[in-house]
Amino acid sequence: SFTLVVRCSSMLLGLQVSRSRGTITSTKFLLKRGTMSTRTTTYATADLADEHISSPSRLSVATPNYFKDFGTRKAFHGKIETVRCFESNPMVKKTLGEPGEGRVLVVDGGGSTRVAILGDMLAGMASDNNWAGVIVNGCIRDSSVINTLDIGVKAMGTHPVKSLKDFMGDRGIKVAFAGVEFIPGNWVYADEDGVIVSEKELTLSSKL
């Protein structure tokens, strides 16, 4: 294994790479003003499905091709936090402004394709505050900028019109879309193959 650290102004950026049992894991470190956040690559959803689909972990798999991928992190996972809103995103902004601690924010925007619930500023906020990713039942905008950010985003599509700011929305409640339920405190795993939801944190055995 090796660690690479680069100093840039008041920031230290690090990348630690290790190999174990045939799996390569990279961990990014961001050090700024005396703090450090750790972001570790996730497992492939295909491997998780192979090992856990019939287990007591009660996996649920989202409807295929329901989401499109944005951001530089095509694979991400974490504990679920939820927001439910419809064409108005103040609660999304409030939530992403808090420390993410590696969680994934699941936003039920009611499947609206009339406005964008997430833009580049909120996606940048999510990246800065150590959210692993954002899953949106609705649209985003500024996709070309989001595609340069260190964040994973899944959404139904894009729309150039920003959302309203009239209604706060709800937070920390069970939401359901794409054929699965997203419950705060449960776990979600996402990559280019799809989205898996589990009641418990998942791992892979060495046999894979």
Side-chain angles (χ1 to χ4, degrees), residues 69-82:
D69 295 301
F70 305 93
T72 63
R73 304 180 70 187
K74 302 305 181 186
F76 57 92
H77 76 280
K79 277 189 175 182
I80 295 171
E81 177 60 275
T82 63

Side-chain angles (χ1 to χ4, degrees), residues 90-109:
M91 185 61 75
V92 177
K93 180 178 181 180
K94 181 179 185 299
T95 304
L96 293 178
E98 301 172 3
E101 300 175 335
R103 290 174 294 167
V104 175
L105 179 62
V106 177
V107 181
D108 184 2

Side-chain angles (χ1 to χ4, degrees), residues 158-173:
T158 60
H159 199 290
V161 177
K162 66 182 179 180
S163 70
L164 303 173
K165 313 298 178 188
D166 298 338
F167 309 102
M168 280 297 294
D170 300 308
R171 177 176 173 179
I173 61 174

Side-chain angles (χ1 to χ4, degrees), residues 47-61 189 196-205 207:
D47 291 340
L48 292 171
D50 287 346
E51 182 156 340
H52 294 285
I53 199 65
S54 299
S55 75
S57 299
R58 296 186 59 184
L59 299 191
S60 299
V61 181
Y189 298 79
I196 289 177
V197 176
S198 172
E199 293 180 351
K200 299 178 180 179
E201 184 177 9
L202 303 177
T203 58
L204 292 174
S205 66
K207 66 182 179 182

Side-chain angles (χ1 to χ4, degrees), residues 80-157:
I80 295 171
E81 177 60 275
T82 63
V83 166
R84 183 172 63 192
C85 58
F86 185 74
E87 300 183 354
S88 182
N89 71 352
M91 185 61 75
V92 177
K93 180 178 181 180
K94 181 179 185 299
T95 304
L96 293 178
E98 301 172 3
E101 300 175 335
R103 290 174 294 167
V104 175
L105 179 62
V106 177
V107 181
D108 184 2
S112 173
T113 56
R114 300 192 301 183
V115 300
I117 291 295
L118 184 83
D120 60 339
M121 294 182 65
L122 294 190
M125 184 184 299
S127 178
D128 291 343
N129 289 332
N130 198 29
W131 289 86
V134 184
I135 298 175
V136 181
N137 184 30
C139 293
I140 68 166
R141 68 178 193 164
D142 306 313
S143 59
S144 61
V145 178
I146 291 176
N147 283 335
T148 68
L149 300 177
D150 181 24
I151 189 70
V153 176
K154 282 186 175 287
M156 294 172 58

